[in-house]
């Protein structure tokens, strides 16, 4: 009898769904959101839309494909869980797992792809409440040779202010490895305003670099 009374009391005092915190997305939830033969390369949990709940960003790694996913926690009067909030296709030739972090509500994605010639990219996304999407607010990218065979090209784009910076570092004809392999970089600044870009319309960093006019090497 005592156990039954205790169980009844527990049920009567249980908080309604609307007052509970949403549990962090489980590995099974992530696996259900991706292809059957894919795996989760990396994940990060943090509040992305300012509602006090833990959202999740993760990268799906499949056969010749990689995709960045964002899941937002939700809570109603009768239900709680996670809703998809966008996907971005990443370059498949990853040189190791990407790095994900949430810094003051901003999702930061650092990715290194390619081969001996590599692209190092950092994406920054922030929740846009009006559009109900993750908005791209910053993109930094660098194209360089991991074996010191060619010059280095870099871009840095603040999509909120339109500030666009390019840097060009010429490889020395005969040089040591590391930073000493290059001459001092040449930097140029200009404005590049843009309409809002989101997770699913994120530009290819390699294409952005290739579209620039660099000094003759």
């Amino acid at each position: 009898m005592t156990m039954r009374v205790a169980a009844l009391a527990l049920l009567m005092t249980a908080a309604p769904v609307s007052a509970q915190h949403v549990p962090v997305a489980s590995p099974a939830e992530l696996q259900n959101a991706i292809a059957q033969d894919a795996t989760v390369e990396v994940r990060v949990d943090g509040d992305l839309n300012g509602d006090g709940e833990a959202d999740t960003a993760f990268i799906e790694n499949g056969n010749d494909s990689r995709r960045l996913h964002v899941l937002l926690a939700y809570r109603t009067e009768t239900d709680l869980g996670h809703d998809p909030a966008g996907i971005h296709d990443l370059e498949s030739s990853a040189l190791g797992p990407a790095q994900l972090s949430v810094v003051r509500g901003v999702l930061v994605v650092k990715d290194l792809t390619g081969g001996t010639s590599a692209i190092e990219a950092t994406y920054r996304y922030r929740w846009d409440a009006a559009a109900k999407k993750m908005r791209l607010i910053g993109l930094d990218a660098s194209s360089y040779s991991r074996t010191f065979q060619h010059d280095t090209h870099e871009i840095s784009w603040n999509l909120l202010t339109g500030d666009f910076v390019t840097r060009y570092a010429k490889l020395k004809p005969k040089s040591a490895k590391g930073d000493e392999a290059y001459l001092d970089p040449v930097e140029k600044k200009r404005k590049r305003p843009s309409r809002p870009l989101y997770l699913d319309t994120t530009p290819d960093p390699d294409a952005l670099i290739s579209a620039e006019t660099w000094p003759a090497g």
Side-chain angles (χ1 to χ4, degrees):
M1 179 65 69
T2 303
M3 292 180 62
R4 290 180 180 178
V5 172
L8 179 60
L10 181 61
L11 289 172
M12 294 176 65
T13 58
V17 171
S18 59
Q20 299 176 29
H21 276 291
V22 182
V24 174
S26 68
E29 282 185 87
L30 271 55
Q31 198 63 44
N32 287 337
I34 63 180
Q36 187 173 3
D37 59 348
T39 59
V40 175
E41 178 181 309
V42 63
R43 68 177 286 172
V44 66
D45 304 301
D47 187 2
L48 294 173
N49 59 356
D51 65 355
E53 300 289 352
D55 308 304
T56 299
F58 69 97
I59 292 178
E60 170 189 359
N61 195 324
N63 292 326
D64 301 321
S65 67
R66 294 168 69 236
R67 308 177 86 187
L68 171 64
H69 295 251
V70 172
L71 300 177
L72 291 184
Y74 73 86
R75 183 182 66 245
T76 68
E77 291 293 329
T78 59
D79 191 23
L80 48 77
H82 301 87
D83 279 335
I87 296 174
H88 168 51
D89 289 325
L90 296 165
E91 171 60 45
S92 61
S93 58
L95 295 171
Q99 299 177 41
L100 303 181
S101 61
V102 178
V103 182
R104 294 186 293 277
V106 174
L107 173 62
V108 181
V109 182
K110 295 185 178 182
D111 201 22
L112 181 62
T113 59
T116 54
S117 291
I119 298 289
E120 184 175 12
T122 299
Y123 310 84
R124 295 176 179 83
Y125 298 95
R126 188 168 67 193
W127 178 248
D128 185 328
K132 297 187 183 304
K133 294 180 179 181
M134 295 296 294
R135 181 177 176 180
L136 180 69
I137 62 172
L139 175 55
D140 301 332
S142 173
S143 171
Y144 67 97
S145 170
R146 298 168 66 213
T147 55
F148 306 97
Q149 299 300 310
H150 59 71
D151 303 338
T152 295
H153 307 137
E154 298 180 14
I155 62 163
S156 181
W157 191 12
N158 183 327
L159 282 85
L160 296 178
T161 64
D163 293 337
F164 193 91
V165 180
T166 61
R167 299 181 189 88
Y168 168 81
K170 184 175 176 57
L171 186 70
K172 294 178 181 177
K174 294 181 180 180
S175 61
K177 295 182 179 180
D179 293 340
E180 294 182 357
Y182 297 94
L183 299 173
D184 291 339
V186 176
E187 181 177 286
K188 294 184 178 180
K189 298 179 180 180
R190 71 175 192 271
K191 287 289 185 179
R192 181 172 178 163
S194 170
R195 61 181 175 82
L197 298 176
Y198 300 98
L199 200 64
D200 58 349
T201 54
T202 300
D204 177 10
D206 191 13
L208 286 176
I209 291 173
S210 298
E212 292 299 306
T213 301
W214 303 98

